[in-house]
Amino acid sequence: FPFPYTPYLIQERFMAALYSALEAGRVGIFESPTGTGKSLSLICGALSWLRDFEEKKQEEEARLLALEDSGQEGTKRPTSAEPGHPNSKDTAGEPDWVTAFVQKKEERDAVDRLKEEQVRRKKREEHLEKIRHNMQLKYAAKRKRSEEDETKRLLQLSKEVLSEGTGVDVLEQLDHDEEELILAEYESDEEKKVVSGLEDDDDLEEEHVTKIYYCSRTHSQLSQFVREVQKSPFGKDTHLVSLGSRQNLCVNEEVRRLGALQLINDRCMEMQKNKHEKKSDDEMEGKKRRVSRTVCPFYSYEQMHFLRDEVLVEVKDIEQLVTLGRETKACPYYGSRYAIPAAQLVVLPYQMLLHEPTRNAAGIKLKDQIVIIDEAHNLIDTITCIHSAEVSGSQLCCAHSQLLQYMERYRKRLKAKNLMYIKQILYLLERFVATLGGNVNQNPSCQAVSQTGTVLKSINDFLFQSQIDNINLFKVQRYCEKSLISRKLFGFVERYGGPATAVKTNKENRKLAGLQNFLLTLQQGSNKEGDPPVEAENDQLRTASPLMQIEGFLSALTNANQDGRVILSRQGTVGQSSLKFLLLNPAVHFAKVVEECRAVIIAGGTMQPVADFREQLLSCAGVDPARVVEFSCGHVIPPENILPLILCSGPSNQQLEFTYQTRDLPQMMDETGRILCNLCNVVPGGVVCFFPSYEYEKQVYAHWEKTGLLTRLATKKKIFQEPKKANQVEQVLVEYAKCIKRCSQAGGQMTGALLLSVVGGKMSEGINFSDDLGRCVIMVGMPYPNIKSPELQEKMAWLDKTMPRAAGQAPSRVLIENLCMKAVNQSIGRAIRHQKDFASILLLDHRYARPAIFNKLPQWIRERTQVKPAFGSAFAELRKVRTCTLCIA
């Protein structure tokens, strides 16, 4: 395999296993610990296979074409006038000559297709080669752009001059901005017999070459992967395209300023619609015309094709793509999509690949392609989250009020079809609020709920109980999508009301605004992902356009009845209550990916326990177990560079068992503090300590403060706490790293820093505690999920009903253990990041020594783990590491 340097043995094994999985069309679960060069192994292994596959395909094509050429002269077309056999028939009842003729025609068609494809491919490659080597073409395109800009500017000036002094008949028309708020005439699919041909239809038909779709969780992980491709031996001659959301790729500042993804999406769609409508508007010159509508200056067919070619010529990440878009005045979002058919490697975020409507909208075709899903340890949760949706009573009332006022204002301007659908949506909202025990016409914050609690229902039961089973939700969903009603409503609210245009009187409005702010604080608190843009986006969406959130919920209700549940959560008031759709069977959405693709590779640094993927995802998606292949490799570090210890008791012989019942006991918190004090005396640099939850970390911190233990800790290490807000994480990490560096240079009593983190928080994933930043990682207790959560209880019940028992254990019990150990593995994998790194890992709970739990640790950690019943022997081992590190230093 071509590689930028001599690969480790485990990298060679990884690439060989990957190559054979792709060749055999398997579904592979690949585990390669962080720090072992997983990205490069994926790139070089997969692209080597693709290169060989293309070569074989071309050889096969050449052979077929050669056969066709040599066989052309001597072939005699069969005729019906065969003497003796005027009407001989084959077994299917067709005459022989018909069968032979059909067969021959099929062969000829196949060869013709091959020839066409070859010509197309050759043309495309020559075109890209020309762009790569011919700078003049680039400058010509740039010059043409600036000339066009100048022409547009002059034209605009002329129009302004002409329009001065010509009085516009304003009485009959609504003013300029308000025209855009009115819904255009809507035709449903059945009525649209002829689809209007857009400019880019010819391009949609472009042949998709065999390609690899690589997806990961965040844009930074994708950019990192693209940089690795650039460094690899394949960097120069691979056609790669990076896809992203409009939020990441839009270069139109006016649209970017909207902030929230849903608003950006809708505004962009509207501008495109305006562009296509403009032509028909121009044709109606004689009639009374609508006011001119905004179109996007970057949505230029010609410029986007120029951008597409630039993208295919040279590997670019998202940031470089946006820069290029600004320079070329072309939309990177659509320009990159035009590049998909010819690209060999498409890099994209999870959601784009795993959510079918998004996939189709982007023009992604998975048939016979390769999909690699990286950082896939939380793949099941991701699919569940993408397809789940929640709306609050406050949002439902708010949307109803906004939509009602919109309908009243524009009733005379709306067509019958629009009014019909708006009335259906209003009815749905009314019924949803009624199921929460409220009345849509009253302020949700003033309506107390009589029966509080949480109820779970199947989709069908929910539809019947809400009395909406007679409404075709598929049609309503399609209407919302096509008419852009939520975008129009957002514009209407922006114009006529503050964030809470919810219920009639001003006094009540103010109350509602207060309630919404309160709801926001609640929802932000429970926001687990916590990227700042997401929080800001949710703020804006919840206050500005609740209908956008509700559309997601309506869409979720179109899932099959057995695959999901609706959770009715009735709390205090109607405003605080909510409806949530929970997807129970993520396999239904993954099945399509696995069916269509030639091969699927699920890869990650810590994939243990693998059983979840096999059972919940692959076997439920109908994958033949024989098609699944597993690969797991060790780490590149020498065995002595890692010391994993399971500690069963503390310095005062207190047994370590952090269950919900015992972890709050003062003696347990004291014992944890004593362990940390001892460790901080001998471990140099940074110590990272993970707690099961923010609440428990806070509780322990307060207890240590009270007992004076915190002061003792602070003499050796400066103490940092993981912040709850995502936008503060970076700052805390920078301070933590600075402190460790300062201490190592200064010597003295302070030996570094102690970081108190949370499992599943901002620092347990995607952040590297390499070298001195993480010389010791401590896991306090076992981070089991909250089994009282109705969502988890329903998932457990569903698993017990649909899955077989494994090794005598109920599937629900296995799920709980797997969720816990996935979180543990993810957190403890933060410490070792490269070949020369070293660290100790401490698991504080005797339950880690139980075989069922112990076997779920990653293999490379499990092989080196020691179980220590007493603290003394564990401390002695840690002192040894300390002396070794002094020798290394």
Side-chain angles (χ1 to χ4, degrees):
F1 295 97
F3 216 73
Y5 52 81
T6 309
Y8 303 127
L9 180 63
I10 58 169
Q11 285 179 314
E12 284 181 344
R13 285 190 195 137
F14 185 103
M15 290 187 284
L18 177 64
Y19 191 102
S20 61
L22 297 180
E23 186 62 27
R26 298 295 190 86
V27 175
I29 301 171
F30 278 63
E31 180 180 57
S32 176
T34 315
T36 54
K38 169 170 57 82
S39 297
L40 264 177
S41 306
L42 279 170
I43 290 163
C44 297
L47 289 176
S48 294
W49 174 83
L50 187 63
R51 184 196 55 198
D52 294 352
F53 175 79
E54 282 173 352
E55 277 173 15
K56 275 185 225 156
K57 194 177 167 193
Q58 281 170 19
E59 281 167 19
E60 181 62 17
E61 283 173 6
R63 193 182 63 76
L64 275 172
L65 292 171
L67 271 177
E68 168 71 10
D69 291 344
S70 60
Q72 207 114 49
E73 292 88 41
T75 54
K76 179 183 146 196
R77 191 170 294 182
T79 64
S80 55
E82 290 276 345
H85 297 282
N87 213 5
S88 70
K89 299 201 173 195
D90 68 356
T91 50
E94 290 285 358
D96 289 345
W97 66 268
V98 173
T99 312
F101 178 74
V102 169
Q103 203 175 341
K104 194 74 184 158
K105 187 174 185 319
E106 278 171 4
E107 283 168 18
R108 268 205 311 278
D109 287 349
V111 171
D112 289 344
R113 268 200 307 278
L114 276 181
K115 283 181 180 168
E116 272 175 37
E117 203 179 308
Q118 269 195 337
V119 169
R120 250 208 310 267
R121 194 187 311 130
K122 206 171 170 194
K123 242 179 165 171
R124 185 164 55 217
E125 289 303 328
E126 281 170 3
H127 176 61
L128 293 176
E129 204 54 36
K130 210 191 287 178
I131 289 176
R132 190 177 277 131
H133 298 299
N134 189 348
M135 293 306 286
Q136 266 186 308
L137 265 178
K138 289 187 183 182
Y139 289 125
K142 268 191 175 174
R143 196 170 58 247
K144 188 167 185 299
R145 267 199 311 281
S146 54
E147 282 170 7
E148 280 175 357
D149 287 351
E150 186 59 18
T151 314
K152 269 185 195 160
R153 197 177 66 79
L154 291 171
L155 201 65
Q156 188 57 38
L157 278 173
S158 316
K159 279 182 181 171
E160 282 169 16
V161 171
L162 283 171
S163 64
E164 275 176 24
T166 58
V168 184
D169 177 18
V170 278
L171 292 172
E172 209 271 321
Q173 280 192 330
L174 297 169
D175 73 19
H176 174 88
D177 299 332
E178 211 167 347
E179 273 295 347
E180 292 194 6
L181 299 179
I182 294 173
L183 289 157
E185 187 163 359
Y186 178 74
E187 295 175 277
S188 60
D189 289 352
E190 298 92 62
E191 296 168 317
K192 276 190 183 169
K193 296 290 180 232
V194 185
V195 178
S196 60
L198 300 181
E199 307 161 326
D200 45 10
D201 269 2
D202 55 336
D203 241 80
L204 296 179
E205 296 309 311
E206 195 179 339
E207 194 71 37
H208 278 243
V209 302
T210 302
K211 62 176 87 317
I212 296 162
Y213 286 101
Y214 170 90
C215 61
S216 193
R217 211 166 64 93
T218 64
H219 280 290
S220 58
Q221 284 165 343
L222 293 172
S223 290
Q224 207 175 330
F225 179 80
V226 173
R227 286 194 288 277
E228 293 284 341
V229 174
Q230 288 166 335
K231 282 190 282 186
S232 79
F234 296 91
K236 290 277 177 280
D237 50 8
T238 297
H239 299 326
L240 177 146
V241 59
S242 296
L243 301 180
S245 63
R246 286 182 176 90
Q247 202 169 27
N248 290 94
L249 288 174
C250 178
V251 287
N252 184 331
E253 284 309 319
E254 180 209 327
V255 178
R256 280 176 75 87
R257 274 199 294 272
L258 291 169
L261 178 61
Q262 186 68 53
L263 301 181
I264 291 173
N265 283 346
D266 281 1
R267 182 71 181 130
C268 174
M269 299 289 285
E270 191 173 39
M271 283 175 145
Q272 277 180 68
K273 210 170 165 193
N274 293 344
K275 187 178 175 73
H276 296 306
E277 277 177 7
K278 220 175 165 198
K279 291 177 197 155
S280 55
D281 270 357
D282 291 340
E283 287 155 19
M284 294 166 61
E285 198 64 59
K287 301 174 192 174
K288 191 186 293 166
R289 268 203 313 162
R290 281 195 169 189
V291 179
S292 69
R293 298 169 170 200
T294 323
V295 294
C296 183
F298 297 91
Y299 191 74
S300 148
Y301 185 69
E302 199 176 334
Q303 290 314 125
M304 288 191 294
H305 273 64
F306 174 73
L307 183 97
R308 171 197 68 179
D309 295 343
E310 284 286 309
V311 165
L312 291 171
V313 162
E314 191 184 357
V315 172
K316 288 177 177 62
D317 65 18
I318 293 275
E319 287 75 21
Q320 292 166 323
L321 188 57
V322 168
T323 308
L324 181 67
R326 288 201 173 103
E327 279 172 14
T328 55
K329 285 209 165 52
C331 174
Y333 179 74
Y334 284 101
S336 56
R337 288 180 173 207
Y338 285 139
I340 295 173
Q344 294 162 308
L345 181 55
V346 179
V347 177
L348 69 168
Y350 273 1
Q351 285 81 343
M352 240 176 180
L353 186 104
L354 298 172
H355 188 238
E356 196 181 355
T358 311
R359 193 163 70 225
N360 294 340
I364 292 165
K365 294 180 180 173
L366 296 182
K367 189 87 183 101
D368 298 330
Q369 308 291 22
I370 303 292
V371 163
I372 297 175
I373 301 170
D374 201 0
E375 300 300 330
H377 54 271
N378 55 5
L379 180 61
I380 295 171
D381 294 343
T382 303
I383 298 172
T384 306
C385 287
I386 290 172
H387 297 92
S388 297
E390 183 171 17
V391 287
S392 68
S394 158
Q395 287 170 310
L396 292 164
C397 289
C398 191
H400 185 275
S401 171
Q402 289 177 0
L403 198 55
L404 194 62
Q405 290 172 51
Y406 175 88
M407 186 178 79
E408 291 305 325
R409 165 107 185 124
Y410 302 121
R411 187 184 284 275
K412 292 192 173 116
R413 302 290 299 266
L414 293 169
K415 297 283 186 288
K417 207 48 154 296
N418 280 317
L419 281 171
M420 180 193 84
Y421 277 110
I422 289 176
K423 283 178 176 168
Q424 280 192 359
I425 296 168
L426 285 169
Y427 176 71
L428 288 172
L429 296 172
E430 202 177 300
R431 296 311 311 157
F432 289 160
V433 173
T435 58
L436 290 174
N439 181 333
V440 81
N441 296 314
Q442 291 170 16
N443 190 320
S445 59
C446 303
Q447 297 181 68
V449 173
S450 52
Q451 294 171 306
T452 56
T454 303
V455 186
L456 282 101
K457 294 190 174 297
S458 70
I459 301 175
N460 288 351
D461 286 350
F462 172 73
L463 297 179
F464 282 120
Q465 191 205 329
S466 310
Q467 297 168 14
I468 55 171
D469 49 299
N470 57 337
I471 287 182
N472 185 331
L473 290 177
F474 290 93
K475 281 190 172 182
V476 174
Q477 182 199 353
R478 181 105 183 123
Y479 172 75
C480 291
E481 205 178 291
K482 292 291 172 192
S483 68
L484 298 176
I485 185 164
S486 55
R487 166 71 213 167
K488 305 280 183 186
L489 195 58
F490 174 71
F492 171 72
V493 175
E494 252 186 343
R495 187 182 173 84
Y496 285 111
T501 319
V503 187
K504 312 298 185 271
T505 68
N506 287 337
K507 197 174 177 184
E508 284 193 328
N509 271 348
R510 278 203 297 279
K511 279 186 194 166
L512 186 79
L515 170 80
Q516 282 185 324
N517 291 338
F518 169 62
L519 278 172
L520 280 179
T521 56
L522 283 182
Q523 281 157 332
Q524 278 170 1
S526 66
N527 186 354
K528 262 183 108 178
E529 280 297 311
D531 292 335
V534 175
E535 286 180 3
E537 176 183 319
N538 288 348
D539 286 7
Q540 253 178 302
L541 276 184
R542 288 195 175 100
T543 51
S545 188
L547 190 61
M548 289 179 188
Q549 301 274 105
I550 292 158
E551 282 178 16
F553 181 68
L554 289 175
S555 168
L557 290 178
T558 59
N559 274 283
N561 183 50
Q562 69 276 16
D563 294 328
R565 296 285 179 274
V566 179
I567 302 170
L568 284 76
S569 174
R570 300 189 180 107
Q571 312 288 332
T573 66
V574 171
Q576 289 164 282
S577 303
S578 66
L579 295 174
K580 181 176 182 178
F581 173 79
L582 172 71
L583 180 72
L584 291 175
N585 182 10
V588 288
H589 294 286
F590 195 61
K592 201 117 186 225
V593 175
V594 186
E595 277 164 27
E596 290 190 352
C597 291
R598 176 198 172 95
V600 176
I601 303 297
I602 302 168
T606 43
M607 298 297 283
Q608 291 295 337
V610 172
D612 277 4
F613 296 104
R614 273 186 172 278
E615 285 148 27
Q616 283 188 51
L617 209 54
L618 301 179
S619 68
C620 282
V623 179
D624 179 359
R627 194 186 165 197
V628 182
V629 59
E630 272 178 47
F631 175 87
S632 178
C633 63
H635 212 294
V636 288
I637 56 162
E640 63 275 11
N641 279 26
I642 180 173
L643 176 65
L645 299 173
I646 293 172
L647 201 51
C648 299
S649 59
S652 65
N653 288 327
Q654 167 75 47
Q655 191 192 35
L656 299 176
E657 184 174 352
F658 293 85
T659 60
Y660 282 117
Q661 291 77 32
T662 60
R663 69 182 194 181
D664 297 341
L665 298 172
Q667 59 263 40
M668 287 301 284
M669 295 192 268
D670 289 338
E671 198 73 336
T672 310
R674 280 192 283 271
I675 293 169
L676 249 67
C677 275
N678 280 300
L679 290 179
C680 289
N681 283 333
V682 296
V683 175
V687 174
V688 184
C689 181
F690 284 104
F691 289 89
S693 67
Y694 281 106
E695 287 65 40
Y696 189 56
E697 187 262 336
K698 233 189 223 164
Q699 190 183 342
V700 172
Y701 189 87
H703 180 77
W704 288 348
E705 221 166 13
K706 206 165 67 189
T707 58
L709 205 137
L710 210 59
T711 321
R712 272 167 53 205
L713 272 173
T715 57
K716 281 289 177 188
K717 306 271 184 198
K718 185 169 179 190
I719 299 167
F720 291 88
Q721 284 176 282
E722 176 178 323
K724 257 193 168 184
K725 286 190 175 167
N727 54 359
Q728 296 167 1
V729 170
E730 192 62 37
Q731 189 190 342
V732 171
L733 282 173
V734 168
E735 291 299 320
Y736 172 72
K738 269 189 199 163
C739 175
I740 291 168
K741 198 174 176 187
R742 216 172 31 244
C743 293
S744 72
Q745 288 167 349
Q749 196 186 3
M750 283 283 267
T751 59
L754 168 65
L755 178 60
L756 306 177
S757 300
V758 175
V759 175
K762 322 287 180 295
M763 294 181 183
S764 64
E765 278 191 46
I767 288 173
N768 295 346
F769 293 113
S770 58
D771 302 320
D772 271 352
L773 294 181
R775 286 297 175 217
C776 181
V777 173
I778 302 159
M779 178 64 62
V780 177
M782 299 186 71
Y784 281 111
N786 175 13
I787 55 167
K788 292 201 172 88
S789 134
E791 285 99 326
L792 190 56
Q793 284 184 342
E794 192 63 26
K795 178 87 178 180
M796 287 160 69
W798 181 81
L799 283 173
D800 284 342
K801 211 185 301 172
T802 55
M803 298 276 173
R805 288 174 76 84
Q809 271 192 310
S812 55
R813 179 71 209 156
V814 175
L815 170 77
I816 296 296
E817 277 180 9
N818 287 353
L819 287 172
C820 167
M821 290 312 291
K822 264 195 168 61
V824 169
N825 294 344
Q826 205 47 40
S827 301
I828 61 180
R830 306 285 99 216
I832 302 284
R833 311 308 281 181
H834 58 84
Q835 193 182 14
K836 294 197 171 80
D837 208 350
F838 60 91
S840 43
I841 294 169
L842 254 80
L843 304 174
L844 308 188
D845 201 307
H846 74 95
R847 291 174 294 169
Y848 282 110
R850 292 176 184 167
I853 301 290
F854 184 79
N855 290 331
K856 285 174 181 171
L857 286 166
Q859 191 184 343
W860 65 280
I861 292 180
R862 191 168 67 233
E863 285 167 351
R864 303 164 191 188
T865 303
Q866 302 174 36
V867 179
K868 297 288 180 185
F871 181 73
S873 58
F875 193 60
E877 289 289 342
L878 284 161
R879 290 188 80 99
K880 271 190 226 166
V881 174
R882 159 81 171 169
T883 49
C884 291
T885 60
L886 289 173
C887 300
I888 294 167

